[in-house]
Amino acid sequence: MLWVQSLGGDEFVVILSELGSLEIDAAHGAETACSKILLTLSHPYQFEDLEYKITASVGVTMFCGNATGMDDLMKQADLAMYRSKAAGRNAAQFFDPVMELTVRERAALEVDLRRAVEVNEFVLYYQAQHKGENQLLGVEALIRWQHPQRGLVPPDQFIALCEDIGLINKLGNWVLYTACSQLARWAERPEMCHLTIAVNVSARQFHHVSFVDEVLGFIKQTGADPRKLKLELTESILVTDIDNVIAKMSTLKSRGICFSLDDFGTGFSSLSYLRRSPLDQLKIDKSFVRDVLTDHNDAIIAKAIVNLADSLGLNVIAEGVETVGQRDFLARVGCHYYQGYLFGRPLPLDSFESYVAGLDSLVTS
Ligand code: C2E
Ligand code: CA
Ligand code: CA
């Protein structure tokens, strides 16, 4: 929502509301609005027989509820506006310099990310998923951005932005296609052919109208065995439009693809949705595994998730398993599938394949 009010002379105040609950999202929304205002004002206009051009200097301050009084907000915006004039006009400045920097960095990252998706600067790492102490069942594919200057950038630094700026389908499709191609290549190697690949699917990607067709298309194009593909969904996917979600899952499931519910315990799952959806696995979030030996509540939660999975007829895997103690605790409460540094870090393809070759020589020697 946008309110514009003249303050007299050549000054106007614009109030933008409902820009989001996160400060950074709201700041980004404000930045976008400023760009639009500056662009619109920059168009030349005709008055009688003369052409005029105007520029504007914008000062931005953020507010949430009534925490800062009206007078203070106006002073902050005014100060920011004078900084903007001093900086050369026809620009916007934030009152809070830290916010200013964050917004600029995000804008630069956005440009960089769009370029990276075009030229494909991404790579998949593979992290082992084990049953019991030493049976390797498969991997989780985890994306990294191979940035020419910044080196390997972890997904936490770009996936959310990809979702916000509408790039997640393109990137997610690349991940799915790459994972399916990998499955097809491993199918021809006796030491690798039993492995499954779990792929993370973001909510936006899953809800896209052509998601199911795209997944089935990649299976067909690559010749991958769909029974070796596991899609990791998050609880947020199961909270909206559940009938449609279940229909999509069921179509994929009927082709052999299976589903794991990632980060389980951190979101809001409805038990009836859990029961209705064709899931195969719950994945205990690493935040519970981390302190399972020292925090009584985390131990109770881990145990409850195992029991819940049991009663829903699902299998259960724990992520973030770093120590033998954590693994033994999980085994005692009935969780026998594990992923974590204890078994192996996420590795690039060639290192992961060497790791598997090493496991084989251990078994055969
Ligand atoms: P996630 O799906 O929960 O993945 C597990 C994260 O835990 C990974 O972080 C992994 O490197 C890390 N991890 C694995 N073992 C351990 C351990 O023993 N201890 C600890 N402390 N951490 C461990 P990573 O690779 O940085 O990925 C972060 C998140 O980015 C993932 O969390 C997932 O939500 C997202 N992500 C990764 N790849 C993709 C992708 O292809 N598509 C989408 N949409 N999201 C992805
Ligand atoms: Ca995951
Ligand atoms: Ca997880």
Side-chain angles (χ1 to χ4, degrees), residues 15-325:
I15 302 175
L16 301 167
S17 62
E18 293 159 32
L19 284 176
S21 51
L22 288 180
E23 197 178 16
I24 179 65
D25 288 341
H28 184 62
E31 163 90 358
T32 308
C34 289
S35 304
K36 284 185 188 159
I37 292 171
L38 290 171
L39 181 71
T40 311
L41 290 177
S42 71
H43 295 314
Y45 70 95
Q46 199 78 27
F47 185 66
E48 298 188 331
D49 49 1
L50 284 177
E51 190 181 83
Y52 289 84
K53 264 183 113 171
I54 50 173
T55 58
S57 300
V58 188
V60 185
T61 192
M62 310 289 295
F63 66 97
C64 180
N66 298 323
T68 316
M70 179 76 169
D71 285 348
D72 285 339
L73 285 174
M74 292 301 287
K75 273 186 209 142
Q76 292 175 357
D78 216 36
L79 264 170
M81 184 187 72
Y82 279 103
R83 276 202 2 238
S84 174
K85 283 185 196 244
R89 297 167 190 262
N90 203 27
Q93 296 258 338
F94 280 72
F95 170 71
D96 177 354
V98 177
M99 184 57 69
E100 173 97 32
L101 190 66
T102 315
V103 168
R104 297 272 175 269
E105 279 173 358
R106 181 176 153 136
L109 183 65
E110 180 176 330
V111 172
D112 213 7
L113 199 49
R114 286 186 191 281
R115 178 196 56 76
V117 170
E118 275 320 304
V119 300
N120 188 19
E121 283 178 353
F122 300 91
V123 65
L124 289 187
Y125 272 45
Y126 297 91
Q127 186 179 29
Q129 295 190 330
H130 274 245
K131 181 178 182 187
E133 283 184 28
N134 52 17
Q135 191 184 350
L136 176 66
L137 291 185
V139 292
E140 176 175 6
L142 294 157
I143 196 170
R144 271 93 182 95
W145 176 5
Q146 280 179 313
H147 194 283
Q149 281 88 39
R150 295 166 61 198
L152 213 55
V153 182
D156 289 340
Q157 291 182 24
F158 62 88
I159 289 289
L161 183 56
C162 263
E163 290 178 350
D164 284 358
I165 63 177
L167 286 180
I168 197 66
N169 288 321
K170 193 162 181 191
L171 193 62
N173 280 343
W174 174 81
V175 174
L176 278 162
Y177 180 81
T178 309
C180 289
S181 311
Q182 198 54 58
L183 281 174
R185 278 196 291 272
W186 282 347
E188 290 168 2
R189 295 173 50 180
E191 77 284 15
M192 310 295 285
C193 64
H194 64 291
L195 299 178
T196 57
I197 300 186
V199 171
N200 292 284
V201 176
S202 90
R204 281 230 174 135
Q205 190 188 350
F206 186 88
H207 287 301
H208 194 273
V209 277
S210 49
F211 178 72
V212 169
D213 291 340
E214 270 154 358
V215 176
L216 296 177
F218 297 145
I219 296 274
K220 200 168 165 199
Q221 280 169 46
T222 58
D225 178 354
R227 291 167 306 175
K228 298 276 185 288
L229 180 65
K230 177 157 73 176
L231 300 183
E232 293 200 0
L233 310 183
T234 52
E235 290 171 273
S236 63
I237 293 179
L238 297 187
V239 295
T240 42
D241 203 6
I242 187 70
D243 292 323
N244 185 32
V245 170
I246 291 175
K248 282 179 156 180
M249 288 174 75
S250 304
T251 308
L252 293 169
K253 176 108 178 169
S254 69
R255 305 295 185 92
I257 294 166
C258 60
F259 292 94
S260 182
L261 196 54
D262 206 356
D263 305 337
F264 191 72
T266 60
F268 298 96
S269 283
S270 140
L271 289 183
S272 81
Y273 290 177
L274 275 188
R275 194 172 45 77
R276 283 177 59 202
S277 65
L279 282 167
D280 299 274
Q281 185 176 66
L282 298 183
K283 195 168 193 186
I284 306 175
D285 188 65
K286 58 179 176 298
S287 60
F288 304 118
V289 174
R290 190 184 56 219
D291 299 326
V292 86
L293 297 176
T294 49
D295 185 326
H296 186 57
N297 291 330
D298 286 348
I300 290 177
I301 292 171
K303 213 164 153 178
I305 295 176
V306 177
N307 291 338
L308 178 65
D310 238 18
S311 48
L312 291 169
L314 305 176
N315 94 37
V316 61
I317 185 169
E319 67 174 12
V321 181
E322 296 184 357
T323 66
V324 172

Side-chain angles (χ1 to χ4, degrees), residues 126 136 139 182 185-186 189 191-192 195 347-360:
Y126 297 91
L136 176 66
V139 292
Q182 198 54 58
R185 278 196 291 272
W186 282 347
R189 295 173 50 180
E191 77 284 15
M192 310 295 285
L195 299 178
L347 297 171
L349 180 65
D350 50 353
S351 311
F352 176 73
E353 290 184 340
S354 310
Y355 159 82
V356 177
L359 288 179
D360 266 17

